[in-house]
Amino acid sequence: MKIAVVGLGIIGGSYCKAIKKYTNHYVIGINRSPLPLEKAYNCGAIDKIGTVNDLSDVDLVILGVYPGAAVQFIRDNGDKIKKGAIVTDTSGIKTEICSDLTDLSHKYGFTFVGVHPMAGKEKNGFDVSDADLYKGASCIVIPCDAKEEAVKLVSDFNLSLGFGGIKISTPEEHDRMISFTSQLPHILACAYVLSPNCMNHKGFSAGSYRDVSRVANINAELWSELFLDNKKPLLKELDTLISNIQSMEDAISNNDKEKLMALLSKGHEIKEALGE
Amino acid sequence: MKIAVVGLGIIGGSYCKAIKKYTNHYVIGINRSPLPLEKAYNCGAIDKIGTVNDLSDVDLVILGVYPGAAVQFIRDNGDKIKKGAIVTDTSGIKTEICSDLTDLSHKYGFTFVGVHPMAGKEKNGFDVSDADLYKGASCIVIPCDAKEEAVKLVSDFNLSLGFGGIKISTPEEHDRMISFTSQLPHILACAYVLSPNCMNHKGFSAGSYRDVSRVANINAELWSELFLDNKKPLLKELDTLISNIQSMEDAISNNDKEKLMALLSKGHEIKEALGE
């Protein structure tokens, strides 16, 4: 295939590198600023520094930009995409973007399949992109109204890059689950490090501190957008979490060891049941 | 030295194994139930299966049992300890236990130095103990009223087992910092996995889920005791955390992107300032 990757940050850049490392597809890079394109070309992550005019000749377009920018890019350039081409995004939220991009796919005659690669790092940009970023990770695929063969092509393509498995889902299920698995831990990590004791943790900390605080080194702009675009399920998760923390706090405050042990044991049982 | 390790769970067992691997000290194991002692003797982690009567001939006693049990053990057996011997605990909380054990040290003529090895695993018991559990970890040492040479002996001894560094502290500072670095992440992890979405996370999750939920597989009995014994600083941390999560929830609820970005950016800045 001829593939265009739009946006050469960590996600798009890692797609380019993985495609060149693991497949024989031809990769065209498209990016607002020229520097990542030059870097990508020089290290062999792309075959060509492209422009939107190249879209008329590619089979697969991968949108590696922020959700809002992805929709805007297709609004601006959807008319240049080859009829029948497949477009996938890489966004961390789906309900709104899948609806918008499916509508645009009808308008411009391409096929849209939603994709969320469940991988990332605490750093951003092409410099930290990695051909093996997706190794073993889950790839969530949202068929929307794409035909089965397009969904299969997108799934097989992603598996060929090293993903550990494909999870087929709907936009609504995706956003509900992601609010729990990904968004909540990021909010938690940021809230956690705001404690006045955080700056003095060294010497007093080990794995628990490291793991809970890891993702606090956040890209505030990207995540604010993701949180606000997924407001409803996220607020529900936040309410659940605060209420569960509050229950434990109450048990501690009341010296209610039995209640406290019951709550903690539930946590233990869930992890055991999940085999974790 | 002749060293007695009391309690051969993961902490005491790892002390035995590390001492035999990295030093030439003689190790006597003391444990309520015989099975871990036999296992420890058979794998060379201890030189002798001991009883409390051996305490009259040892230079260093390491208490590897729960905080309450540690104090009770010394109440019951303090009279058997050699005069001038050093006793250290391994407890995760210090204010109460350091006070109790210092009092008992005066009564029975030994020296008490508080120790908290900042290492552990999600599993417990001798079977998961490990000669390298302490490799690179911080060892918190609470001098209490011990003389400088005893503190130095305890510090050097622990460094010889592979600890990455010694952090000298007071019981109060220790308990305040531990409520943040260790206790809070354990409560968070348990509260987090209580979400109804948790059991369906597979395929939708990656590193963020894994790291925040890791320590939810908790020893409910031990941690309930630790939480209740450290009530005051822990409740303060819980209040701070809930209030910070609530601020982020409010910003999301009000679509206040500026406020949300400001809060998330603070998290980012703290991690950057810490070089993490």
Side-chain angles (χ1 to χ4, degrees):
Chain A
M1 290 192 287
K2 266 197 183 175
I3 302 174
V5 176
V6 179
L8 265 62
I10 177 170
I11 296 299
S14 297
Y15 262 103
C16 293
K17 289 180 178 174
I19 296 168
K20 292 317 297 176
K21 180 169 178 184
Y22 292 112
T23 78
N24 294 314
H25 302 306
Y26 183 85
V27 181
I28 300 167
I30 299 175
N31 200 68
R32 209 166 36 183
S33 62
L35 191 59
L37 288 170
E38 284 161 25
K39 285 181 182 170
Y41 186 75
N42 290 336
C43 76
I46 58 176
D47 296 294
K48 182 185 175 185
I49 295 180
T51 70
V52 291
N53 295 321
D54 290 295
L55 294 172
S56 60
D57 191 34
V58 303
D59 309 296
L60 174 65
V61 181
I62 298 171
L63 301 168
V65 294
Y66 287 12
V71 174
Q72 194 56 52
F73 180 86
I74 298 296
R75 282 212 179 98
D76 295 342
N77 302 292
D79 59 336
K80 302 182 187 75
I81 296 172
K82 185 168 82 174
K83 305 297 162 210
I86 295 174
V87 174
T88 77
D89 72 328
T90 52
S91 292
I93 44 152
K94 293 298 181 204
T95 306
E96 212 177 298
I97 200 169
C98 283
S99 165
D100 288 351
L101 290 175
T102 301
D103 287 350
L104 287 163
S105 75
H106 298 158
K107 181 169 176 189
Y108 293 117
F110 61 83
T111 295
F112 173 70
V113 177
V115 168
H116 182 185
M118 291 300 294
K121 287 184 185 175
E122 297 95 86
K123 307 262 172 197
N124 298 292
F126 181 79
D127 291 344
V128 294
S129 65
D130 180 349
D132 290 314
L133 182 68
Y134 303 125
K135 210 160 198 170
S138 179
C139 181
I140 307 177
V141 171
I142 321 279
C144 302
D145 68 355
K147 293 207 177 107
E148 209 179 306
E149 66 237 42
V151 176
K152 191 175 181 317
L153 184 147
V154 167
S155 301
D156 290 347
F157 164 70
N158 277 287
L159 284 175
S160 75
L161 306 183
F163 280 97
I166 300 292
K167 181 85 184 176
I168 301 285
S169 186
T170 62
E172 294 70 25
E173 181 189 46
H174 171 277
D175 287 358
R176 182 166 48 79
M177 291 308 299
I178 288 303
S179 72
F180 169 68
T181 60
S182 167
Q183 298 192 326
L184 201 54
H186 282 80
I187 289 180
L188 260 182
C190 285
Y192 177 71
V193 301
L194 293 182
S195 163
N197 283 323
C198 190
M199 286 303 292
N200 305 314
H201 81 82
K202 286 180 187 175
F204 293 103
S205 61
S208 308
Y209 166 84
R210 185 193 60 227
D211 286 356
V212 170
S213 71
R214 184 175 60 83
V215 292
N217 201 340
I218 205 170
N219 178 337
E221 199 186 336
L222 169 63
W223 284 92
S224 296
E225 185 175 329
L226 293 171
F227 294 158
L228 292 172
D229 283 348
N230 201 24
K231 197 170 151 172
K232 208 176 145 191
L234 181 55
L235 289 178
K236 195 170 171 197
E237 281 298 332
L238 282 164
D239 281 342
T240 303
L241 180 75
I242 289 179
S243 144
N244 284 323
I245 299 175
Q246 193 64 60
S247 300
M248 298 195 195
E249 179 166 3
D250 291 346
I252 294 167
S253 180
N254 300 328
N255 288 315
D256 190 342
K257 190 171 178 178
E258 208 173 316
K259 174 85 185 296
L260 185 56
M261 276 186 61
L263 287 164
L264 299 175
S265 297
K266 265 202 234 170
H268 173 79
E269 283 158 22
I270 289 165
K271 288 293 273 184
E272 288 278 311
L274 286 163
E276 291 167 359
Chain B
M1 291 192 285
K2 267 197 181 172
I3 300 174
V5 176
V6 179
L8 266 63
I10 177 172
I11 297 297
S14 296
Y15 262 102
C16 294
K17 289 179 178 174
I19 297 168
K20 292 319 296 176
K21 180 168 177 185
Y22 293 112
T23 78
N24 293 314
H25 302 307
Y26 182 86
V27 181
I28 300 167
I30 298 175
N31 200 66
R32 212 166 33 184
S33 61
L35 192 59
L37 288 169
E38 284 159 27
K39 284 181 183 171
Y41 186 77
N42 290 336
C43 73
I46 58 175
D47 297 293
K48 183 185 171 183
I49 294 179
T51 69
V52 291
N53 295 321
D54 289 295
L55 295 172
S56 60
D57 192 33
V58 303
D59 308 297
L60 174 64
V61 181
I62 297 171
L63 301 168
V65 294
Y66 287 12
V71 174
Q72 194 56 50
F73 180 85
I74 298 297
R75 281 212 179 97
D76 295 342
N77 302 293
D79 60 334
K80 302 180 188 75
I81 297 171
K82 185 168 79 173
K83 305 296 162 210
I86 294 174
V87 174
T88 78
D89 71 328
T90 53
S91 291
I93 44 151
K94 293 300 181 202
T95 307
E96 212 177 300
I97 201 170
C98 283
S99 164
D100 288 350
L101 290 175
T102 301
D103 287 350
L104 288 163
S105 75
H106 298 157
K107 181 170 175 188
Y108 293 119
F110 62 83
T111 295
F112 172 70
V113 178
V115 169
H116 183 185
M118 291 300 293
K121 288 184 185 175
E122 297 94 87
K123 307 260 171 196
N124 298 291
F126 182 79
D127 290 344
V128 293
S129 65
D130 180 350
D132 291 314
L133 182 68
Y134 303 125
K135 212 160 199 170
S138 179
C139 181
I140 307 175
V141 171
I142 320 278
C144 302
D145 70 352
K147 294 206 178 106
E148 211 179 303
E149 67 236 45
V151 176
K152 191 175 181 319
L153 185 146
V154 167
S155 301
D156 291 347
F157 164 72
N158 276 286
L159 284 175
S160 75
L161 305 183
F163 280 98
I166 301 292
K167 181 84 183 178
I168 300 286
S169 186
T170 63
E172 293 72 25
E173 182 190 43
H174 171 277
D175 287 358
R176 180 167 49 79
M177 291 307 300
I178 288 304
S179 72
F180 169 68
T181 59
S182 167
Q183 298 191 326
L184 202 53
H186 281 80
I187 289 180
L188 261 181
C190 285
Y192 176 70
V193 300
L194 293 182
S195 163
N197 283 322
C198 190
M199 286 304 291
N200 304 314
H201 81 83
K202 286 180 185 175
F204 293 102
S205 62
S208 306
Y209 166 83
R210 184 193 59 228
D211 285 356
V212 170
S213 72
R214 183 176 59 84
V215 293
N217 201 339
I218 204 169
N219 177 336
E221 199 186 339
L222 169 62
W223 284 91
S224 297
E225 185 174 329
L226 292 171
F227 294 158
L228 292 172
D229 283 348
N230 201 25
K231 195 171 154 171
K232 211 177 142 190
L234 181 55
L235 289 178
K236 196 173 169 194
E237 282 298 333
L238 283 164
D239 282 341
T240 303
L241 180 76
I242 289 179
S243 144
N244 284 323
I245 298 176
Q246 192 67 58
S247 299
M248 299 195 193
E249 178 166 4
D250 292 345
I252 294 167
S253 179
N254 300 329
N255 287 316
D256 190 343
K257 191 170 179 182
E258 207 173 317
K259 174 84 185 295
L260 185 56
M261 276 186 63
L263 287 164
L264 299 175
S265 298
K266 264 201 234 171
H268 174 78
E269 284 158 21
I270 290 165
K271 289 294 273 186
E272 288 278 310
L274 285 163
E276 289 166 1

